[in-house]
Structure formats: structure tokens, C-alpha cells
Amino acid sequence: MSSPTLNALVHTMRYEAEGIVSVELRPATPDVDFPAFEAGSHIDLHLPNGLVRSYSLCNPAGERQRYVVGVLHDRRSRGGSRYVHQQLRVGMTLPISAPRNNFRLHEDAARSVLVAGGIGVTPIWCMLQRLVALGRPVEVVYCARTRREAAFIEGIEALADKTASITWHFDDEQGAPPALARLLAGRGADSHYYCCGPAPMLDAFEKACEQWGYAHAHIERFAAVVAESASERHGFEVSCERSGQTLEVPAGKSILDALIDAGLNPGHSCKEGVCGACETAVLDFDGELDHQDGILSKIERQSGRTMMICVSRCTGKRLVLDI
């Protein structure tokens, strides 16, 4: 079954930057609090056009009477961000998920370095507010194509006078994209590094952290990195340990859809490998796990302990899941 939802009221919509609006949601039922959340969390919006989209929370962690998300009007939108910008209005109500966190902040780190690319600033802004509130040392590297397209600049600048230091990089002013290897040099192996932004930036971030020996590197992707995979062209058997069912997952069909068709209905939401709702424990498998999600780290993928069954598959003939 899909994940349980909360009923939310669209209380405020605000222009934050060119192509970006923030949406403040409040409980639709008076005197009811939203579930608490931690910095790095996201929620799913169940939009009236039938789409489900995940957005990072950017208001201060700990607030229970509102959730705030930032939404970029993506030129390649398949209907999610376009609906938010063109049709979502103050006063409407919509179902949302409870917060989930696949991008956890290590609050006790000696130092945190937060790297934002464009709309990827949304979880970074939440993390920054939390670390400043705790009095923890933090540095922000904020990159965008232009200053006009950078959201939350005023709020971030206001925190620069406290424990935070800010490095700005705007491509049009610098004449080039950010050189992350240079920007991250000399920050220390004990620091924790976080990055949210477009795929090329995340790749450059991971490469830079590997180059400098930064083991504590964390990323969050906007979308799963779906590559052409041989595992899509063949089926395999899935054994469900707890339910006792065994079923075939044919070529071109997701594990999640096969389980739903068999009447099992595991938890799920986005069906795109970015929300984490369908993460399932793996007990055994033949061949290799073909991870196609945008959540698990390289180490987590290599461990073979869990997978996102909405997009990931198995290259072998048999997979055993804790379902």
C-alpha cells in the first residue's frame, strides 16, 4: 500500500528567486501538529493532477505547525513543478506524506561543509539553520547560474554573522561553473560534507571528496540516475520471506509493481527511486543488485542490504526480500 498521508492546507506561496516559489503548508485540521522532522528531511506532495513529487523541507527543524518546501519550475517538468507554479493556490488542501530523511545531518560533527547547487539549497538551508541554532561550526558553498536564480540569499547572509561562513559562486559572475575540487580543498578529513544539486555537480562533489580523502561525504539527488541496464531485459524470481510468496518479475516490470499485482502492496510513494518509501531489506540474491535509485550511497549499494524496489532490479535469477 502507499504510505499514509496527512491533510495539509496551502497557507502561503512566495516568490523566492527566478523560477522558484516556496510553499508553506499548515495542518488542515485546527489544533493538530504535523509530525516533527529533522534537517535533511523531505515530504511527498500528492498533487491534484495525480502526480506525487518529493520536496525537501527548508524551514527550521522542530517546527510542528508548518512545513515549507521550495519548488523550481523545471523546464523539463513532467507535470509536477508545472502544476505547483501554474495551478496550486493558497487555500487549497492536499495530501502530503509524513517527513522521511535520506540525507541526515550529523549534528555532532566537528565541522560541517554544506554545498548547494541551485534548488538544491532547500535541504542545505534547513541544515544551516539547525547548525547555527546549535552553535556548531559550519561553512556553506552556494552555487547557482545567476544571483537572480538563487533562493534564500537574504536569510543565508543574515546567518553569516554568527557561526557560519559563506562562499558564493555564480556562474555568470565567475565566468565558469564551480571548481569544487578547489573550493573544497583544505577543509579537513574530520569534517562532514553535504551536497544537493544537479547530477553533474554531485558527480564533481563526490570526485572532489574522494580526491581529498574526505570520507564523510553525503549527497541527495533530485532524481534517480536511471541508466540503460541489461537487467531490464530479463526476468527473475522474487521470494518474499515474511509472506511466504514467490513470484516472477518479468522483463520491463518493476519489483514493486509485481508485488502489488500479487496483492502484497508494500509501502511506496514516488515510484521514481527518490523518496525512500519503498526501501526493502534484501536477505539473499543471485548475481548482483542493479541499483537505480537516487538515495543509497556507494557503500550502501555495495553492502547489498537494502534496495528501492520501485526502480532497482537483480541481475541474477533469484532475489529474497524481507516482505
Side-chain angles (χ1 to χ4, degrees):
M1 59 182 175
S2 58
S3 301
T5 58
L6 312 166
N7 199 23
L9 169 73
V10 180
H11 182 270
T12 307
M13 297 185 69
R14 174 179 171 176
Y15 175 89
E16 298 290 355
E18 188 173 294
I20 299 174
V21 296
S22 63
V23 180
E24 180 177 328
L25 303 163
R26 295 194 180 182
T29 304
D31 302 320
V32 173
D33 286 342
F34 281 144
F37 71 95
E38 300 172 336
S41 297
H42 68 271
I43 58 172
D44 301 333
L45 303 190
H46 294 252
L47 299 171
N49 63 357
L51 296 177
V52 179
R53 292 293 182 263
S54 299
Y55 297 104
S56 297
L57 292 168
C58 55
N59 55 305
E63 292 188 343
R64 301 288 300 274
Q65 271 296 309
R66 66 176 190 142
Y67 291 155
V68 181
V69 298
V71 182
L72 169 69
H73 191 176
D74 190 341
R75 293 186 294 271
R76 299 163 296 178
S77 172
R78 291 165 294 155
S81 67
R82 184 186 307 119
Y83 183 92
V84 171
H85 278 256
Q86 297 180 356
Q87 295 179 262
L88 192 67
R89 294 294 181 264
V90 170
M92 294 174 63
T93 59
L94 70 162
I96 65 172
S97 73
R100 289 188 296 273
N101 198 345
N102 304 312
F103 194 39
R104 294 192 180 278
L105 177 65
H106 295 256
E107 297 181 351
D108 59 349
R111 185 173 185 82
S112 299
V113 180
L114 312 177
V115 182
I119 192 59
V121 72
T122 48
I124 297 300
W125 173 220
C126 184
M127 289 178 169
L128 174 62
Q129 293 173 89
R130 176 61 177 166
L131 291 168
V132 169
L134 293 173
R136 306 296 298 175
V138 55
E139 179 180 353
V140 176
V141 179
Y142 190 173
C143 308
R145 287 180 297 184
T146 70
R147 192 177 294 267
R148 299 188 311 276
E149 298 172 281
F152 311 122
I153 284 182
E154 290 183 1
I156 291 172
E157 285 181 330
L159 297 185
D161 294 333
K162 299 184 179 180
T163 59
S165 63
I166 315 295
T167 299
W168 306 96
H169 178 100
F170 301 110
D171 293 356
D172 63 336
E173 297 177 11
Q174 299 292 329
L180 288 184
R182 176 179 57 79
L183 289 171
L184 296 178
R187 295 300 190 274
D190 291 336
S191 297
H192 277 254
Y193 298 82
Y194 304 82
C195 185
C196 185
M201 182 178 194
L202 295 177
D203 293 341
F205 170 83
E206 290 188 310
K207 184 177 180 180
C209 289
E210 185 174 349
Q211 174 184 335
W212 296 120
Y214 300 158
H216 308 301
H218 318 276
I219 65 171
E220 183 167 66
R221 296 185 181 273
F222 300 149
V225 182
V226 180
E228 186 67 29
S229 172
S231 70
E232 291 284 343
R233 299 194 289 271
H234 77 85
F236 52 94
E237 179 184 276
V238 171
S239 295
C240 304
E241 184 76 11
R242 282 188 283 121
S243 67
Q245 292 196 43
T246 297
L247 53 96
E248 289 292 325
V249 178
K253 189 171 191 175
S254 72
I255 298 171
L256 174 62
D257 285 341
L259 293 172
I260 291 173
D261 289 348
L264 292 174
N265 294 332
H268 64 278
S269 186
C270 75
K271 290 191 171 183
E272 295 188 330
V274 294
C275 76
C278 72
E279 184 172 5
T280 302
V282 176
L283 303 179
D284 195 14
F285 57 92
D286 295 334
E288 298 178 356
L289 297 181
D290 182 15
H291 295 286
Q292 294 287 335
D293 65 277
I295 295 174
L296 296 179
S297 67
K298 184 184 296 185
I299 293 175
E300 289 170 332
R301 293 182 177 201
Q302 290 172 346
S303 75
R305 294 177 180 174
T306 68
M307 68 190 303
M308 305 300 159
I309 58 174
C310 68
V311 292
S312 301
R313 299 177 68 81
C314 177
T315 66
K317 296 181 178 181
R318 181 173 177 270
L319 174 66
V320 183
L321 298 176
D322 186 22
I323 291 179

